[in-house]
Amino acid sequence: MIFIVFGGLMYLLDLFLPVGEFDFFGRFWLLGFLVGLAVLIGCISLYQFFKARTTIDPLKPSGSSHLVTNGIYKFSRNPMYLALLMLLLALGLWLGNVFNTLLAAAFVSYMNKYQIIPEEEALVKLFGKEYEHYCVQVRRWF
């Protein structure tokens, strides 16, 4: 839902802000690359959760039955959110307004404060030192 809100804000910003428009050679190739990579990362991360038979519900991290630390989770603790960020960046490229990068940064800030930190607190309670060690080894986003 938050992803949709930020995407909508990016669209509105592009619609009503008369400055900041840009274009460059290869913009749509980069857009396609970001979308493809986001879909790949999102699918792999979801597959790993389904394979581990643990919840993908971000509102109920306490329902996690298994700590997934292998595969794509060796590189990012939040590849699903990373995939959403990449889609927002691709939307920003499609819209062609440089100020949309500020909204993408706001998405990261919002997700860190209101989604990821509470999730991490719940996972520390659930998995203890194992999760704390994982947090030291693997970056939050990329």
Side-chain angles (χ1 to χ4, degrees):
M1 189 57 139
I2 299 304
F3 168 78
I4 293 170
V5 168
F6 275 91
L9 289 172
M10 290 173 89
Y11 175 76
L12 290 173
L13 184 137
D14 181 60
L15 193 63
F16 293 110
L17 189 66
V19 296
E21 297 298 317
F22 69 88
D23 195 10
F24 59 87
F25 177 77
R27 179 171 71 134
F28 290 101
W29 287 103
L30 180 57
L31 185 158
F33 175 75
L34 281 173
V35 169
L37 192 57
V39 169
L40 181 66
I41 288 172
C43 288
I44 289 170
S45 59
L46 286 171
Y47 171 75
Q48 285 189 253
F49 265 44
F50 286 124
K51 185 178 173 187
R53 296 181 186 209
T54 191
T55 183
I56 62 166
D57 186 353
L59 300 177
K60 298 180 184 174
S62 58
S64 298
S65 60
H66 183 75
L67 184 59
V68 180
T69 60
N70 59 345
I72 200 161
Y73 289 91
K74 285 183 181 180
F75 306 102
S76 172
R77 294 195 315 255
N78 298 288
M80 291 180 220
Y81 299 145
L82 177 59
L84 293 177
L85 172 61
M86 293 170 82
L87 290 174
L88 285 177
L89 291 172
L91 176 61
L93 282 171
W94 181 68
L95 293 170
N97 190 308
V98 72
F99 292 105
N100 278 323
T101 57
L102 297 174
L103 285 171
F107 172 78
V108 170
S109 180
Y110 180 91
M111 293 303 288
N112 279 335
K113 185 172 183 178
Y114 296 106
Q115 186 64 43
I116 294 173
I117 291 174
E119 276 181 15
E120 289 177 345
E121 290 169 355
L123 293 172
V124 165
K125 288 179 185 173
L126 198 57
F127 297 108
K129 294 282 184 196
E130 182 183 5
Y131 184 73
E132 289 175 349
H133 178 70
Y134 173 66
C135 288
V136 170
Q137 299 294 321
V138 178
R139 299 174 68 111
R140 184 176 280 163
W141 285 88
F142 49 84

